[in-house]
Amino acid sequence: MAQRAYASNTLRAQKADGAIFQAFCEANSLAFFPADPNTIRAFIEDCIDKQKKPATIRRYVATIARAHIAAGLLSPCASEPVRLALKEMGRVTSSRQRQALALGWVEIKEFLKTAGEGLRADRERALLCVAYDTMARRSELVAFDLADIEFMPNGSGTILIRRSKTDAAGEGTSAYLSHETVKWLKKWLDAAGIDDGAIFRRLIGQNRVGERLHVDIIGDIYKRVARWVGMPAKQVDQVSGHSVRVGATQDLLSLNIDLASIMQSGRWKSSRMPMRY
């Protein structure tokens, strides 16, 4: 029943979480389903000892609870041993999440000027500009098809974000593409010979264009861009697939754009994430 109710990434994460809990139980000769509250407490303590992030541990617990409820069982995670273990976790670990380093317009503009020629430079320019204008998440960015773009007579454009993390129903929303973005996007599409299907594709060698980019490649591309514009190695390590989204948010905040408008642009339902950025 869950196959169509959740995004594929969510289902994949839940399966991975369940496998981690099962492996812990089997290694300690404990029953994992149904699980005893004290077993889950021991699992939480083991995760703390392994210095896993509080958010990761809470996700594990949520997955365990969901599995039990789906089987028509009472959730052992609502018990006092588990509740106290999570409360203790909050006292002995830091809940601070690692913040992706921003790639804002300053860094993107530098790359646009210095990246040189060739298919890879064309793709990276177009990808950075589209990511910045749309504040797209990695999954949204790789999902763009040529049919989603509408080029305007004045040189700008719009692009349809068909589905996002906060739009599970797939109602879709349109994002504005600036003149600069349309210029680099058209250059990439022409150079790559793309007339249908995925916009952003992997490159094979110097001149061959492959299939749609995988979501995990976006972070690697951003790291390459960070190295190209001269960021120190320590900062490059902090660049991730969220970095352009973070940079665009910080740029908007620095321009005193109101939070409601930023939330609408970034497709957030809560102010927690943009304020953390």
Side-chain angles (χ1 to χ4, degrees), residues 34-48:
D36 185 85
N38 287 312
T39 296
I40 301 171
R41 178 180 177 84
F43 174 64
I44 293 171
E45 291 171 344
D46 182 70
C47 290
I48 293 172

Side-chain angles (χ1 to χ4, degrees), residues 18-79:
I20 289 169
F21 178 61
Q22 180 177 345
F24 166 82
C25 292
E26 290 178 343
N28 291 277
S29 301
L30 298 168
F32 65 88
F33 197 82
D36 185 85
N38 287 312
T39 296
I40 301 171
R41 178 180 177 84
F43 174 64
I44 293 171
E45 291 171 344
D46 182 70
C47 290
I48 293 172
D49 290 341
K50 292 177 179 176
Q51 298 185 335
K52 294 199 174 185
K53 295 178 181 178
T56 300
I57 299 172
R58 290 191 186 94
R59 194 189 72 217
Y60 290 160
V61 173
T63 296
I64 296 166
R66 188 174 299 280
H68 282 76
I69 293 170
L73 302 170
L74 291 176
S75 170
C77 301
S79 64

Side-chain angles (χ1 to χ4, degrees), residues 110-184:
E110 178 66 19
F111 184 82
L112 296 180
K113 289 191 301 182
T114 63
E117 298 298 325
L119 270 180
R120 191 171 300 276
D122 290 339
R123 183 191 68 180
E124 260 70 313
R125 284 187 175 106
L127 188 143
L128 286 169
C129 287
V130 170
Y132 186 83
D133 277 2
T134 63
M135 298 174 71
R137 299 175 176 88
R138 297 177 306 157
S139 59
E140 297 164 358
L141 196 57
V142 301
F144 285 137
D145 288 335
L146 191 59
D148 298 328
I149 305 174
E150 183 177 357
F151 294 120
M152 301 298 182
N154 66 359
S156 65
T158 61
I159 191 164
L160 176 64
I161 301 169
R162 294 185 179 275
R163 187 182 296 273
S164 68
K165 185 177 180 180
T166 54
D167 178 26
E171 295 179 1
T173 184
S174 291
Y176 171 78
L177 299 177
S178 68
H179 293 73
E180 181 85 358
T181 295
V182 168
K183 177 182 75 174
W184 293 115

Side-chain angles (χ1 to χ4, degrees), residues 7 17 21 34 54 65 81 83 91 116 144 146 188 233 238 245 270 272:
D17 294 347
F21 178 61
R83 189 188 71 81
R91 294 177 63 86
F144 285 137
L146 191 59
W188 156 246
Q238 297 175 49
R245 185 169 165 86
S270 136
R272 183 175 65 86

Side-chain angles (χ1 to χ4, degrees), residues 94-112:
S94 171
S95 62
R96 184 178 182 271
Q97 299 290 306
R98 182 183 176 189
Q99 174 65 58
L101 188 71
L103 282 178
W105 186 246
V106 170
E107 292 79 21
I108 293 173
K109 188 176 180 180
E110 178 66 19
F111 184 82
L112 296 180

